[in-house]
Amino acid sequence: MPSGVQSSAVSVLDSDAAAAADVRGGAASWVARWWPPKPTASWSVTVRDKATGKVVRTLAGGAARGLVRAVWDGKDASGRLVANGTYTWTLTAKPADGQGAELNTSGTVRLSGGTAVRRDHGGNDGVGDLLSLSPSGALAFRHGTGTGQLAGVTSGAGWPTSVVAVPFGDLNGDRCNDVLVRLASGELRAYRPGCGKALTPGTAYTSLGKVWGQFNVLTSPGDMTGDGRPDLVARQASTGDMYLYAYNGAGELKARGRIGVKRTGYRAVFGAGDLNGDGYGDLLAVDQANALWRYDGTATGTVKPRVAVFGQNWGVGRNTFVGVGDVTGDGRPDLLFRTTAGDLMRVSGRCNGVPRSTEPKTKIASNFNRCNVLLSSGDMTGDGRSDLVARVAATGDLYLYADNGTGGIRPGVKIGAGWKNLTVLAPGDLNGDKTGDTTTTGPAADTRSAAGRGPAMLRGVLPRAVSSIGRAADF
């Protein structure tokens, strides 16, 4: 007979869910335990990427009495390691007596020992770093803190100041990011410094050939072959032809495949990451009429016919473009650009990639003419939103402009000094969303950006990060 006493809802008496876990490539696990005061009929733990909200794994169990225990090896539902970074978990448990509300409790876990987050070279903390080349020939990883600052440096001396460094993904499967370096001779080398190690001329490397001096664009659009590895796209200076160099699975690049001809008519070519959500890297290009075009990648290492994003004259009066990621909090990548008047403008993203006949834009700052470098830094403040880094031309001071959560930016905060003479600046994925950007200013005033991966399209089209943005003279 019913006792007449109402059953209580399931709640947690105690819990033991680690806030951080090193899964060591899947050899170890995150273990969490909860103690409800009454038996549960079934339970599930849903693990999501904190930045994107995407479900990466669901753990489930049946009846439990006294203890609910979940074990996650850092892999997604398909058995692939997830990237280092912060994940949210939500425990849901149904009471065994069918009385009262379900238990719902949640938290976060900082995962390490997974795959490397793009541009995280200072370790495996899931926070991107800045790469700089000093006039004395030191290549340095300047560590992002995840709270909007730079703290600590890992530096390697002895480099010629003529090198072009392109931070890249993990080519040899050690779960540490690698760096491509082009020498003045035209040789391209894939250096494998290991997680948190200095990059020096003596670091182990694989030569990728000596023909790379012929290219005026080197950019990584992400995975264009469907193997989950970053690929390289290069534009030949003399012909404008575009070539894809796909990863071969053994730390090197395959023979090139031509993916476009006579692209000399573009003043800028961007390796843009995955713009349309199909899992493959895409390219963007701005032509001499200042129109913006999109080339969707495929799993076969080719690109589809171009699609107009914005018509001619779109780029008129705009001298710098930054694929900044999501600055509006809607999970869609946005675009910032600087006008010749020094205003900083935002074009908000949309998810379906359909070009608009008009371009809604919002002014978010002024007086940016004093800055000669604008970089997408990803999330440097730990709030899951992408931020902006700018360098003041006159002083070389470096400022962080954090996203304010409403589509604008907060007042600038000085985060560094003495950056005036640096010839290479490369912001990584500081947003923990596995995407990042790399900008390299070479001796010929080339400005390049190695792009990360974005989950959606622009309200027009730009993703979370841009790749090569051309020569300074083009802007």
Side-chain angles (χ1 to χ4, degrees), residues 338 368-375 388-401 416-425 441:
R338 184 180 64 184
F368 266 72
N369 275 339
R370 68 191 184 120
C371 302
N372 62 353
V373 172
L374 293 177
L375 303 175
L388 182 70
V389 170
R391 183 179 68 184
V392 178
T395 64
D397 291 342
L398 205 63
Y399 284 82
L400 171 71
Y401 293 84
W419 294 79
K420 185 174 182 180
N421 295 321
L422 294 178
T423 57
V424 178
L425 288 174
T441 304

Side-chain angles (χ1 to χ4, degrees), residues 72-242:
W72 179 39
D73 58 4
K75 297 180 181 180
D76 63 18
S78 64
R80 296 177 63 175
L81 273 175
V82 301
N84 298 325
T86 301
Y87 294 82
T88 63
W89 54 262
T90 301
L91 168 67
T92 301
K94 295 181 179 180
D97 60 10
Q99 301 296 314
E102 292 183 347
L103 164 68
N104 279 281
T105 186
S106 60
T108 61
V109 57
R110 185 77 175 181
L111 187 84
S112 60
T115 60
V117 169
R118 292 180 67 87
R119 309 307 174 250
D120 177 15
H121 291 269
N124 61 356
D125 58 2
V127 179
D129 309 309
L130 293 176
L131 175 61
S132 65
L133 175 63
S134 73
S136 63
L139 272 173
F141 299 121
R142 300 175 183 272
H143 307 163
T145 63
T147 60
Q149 302 293 322
L150 300 174
V153 60
T154 303
S155 182
W159 291 96
T161 57
S162 58
V163 302
V164 174
V166 182
F168 212 64
D170 175 18
L171 284 172
N172 63 340
D174 63 354
R175 305 193 309 279
C176 301
N177 285 322
D178 304 316
V179 179
L180 303 184
V181 178
R182 185 178 68 181
L183 306 180
S185 64
E187 181 182 8
L188 186 68
R189 296 177 175 179
Y191 283 87
R192 307 182 299 276
C195 297
K197 303 295 181 59
L199 178 61
T200 71
T203 297
Y205 70 87
T206 299
S207 178
L208 303 179
K210 300 182 179 181
V211 300
W212 299 90
Q214 63 184 301
F215 300 111
N216 60 1
V217 169
L218 291 175
T219 181
S220 175
D223 176 22
M224 292 186 68
T225 56
D227 61 2
R229 298 279 189 173
D231 302 314
L232 185 67
V233 170
R235 183 175 69 177
Q236 193 170 42
S238 60
T239 64
D241 291 352
M242 302 288 295

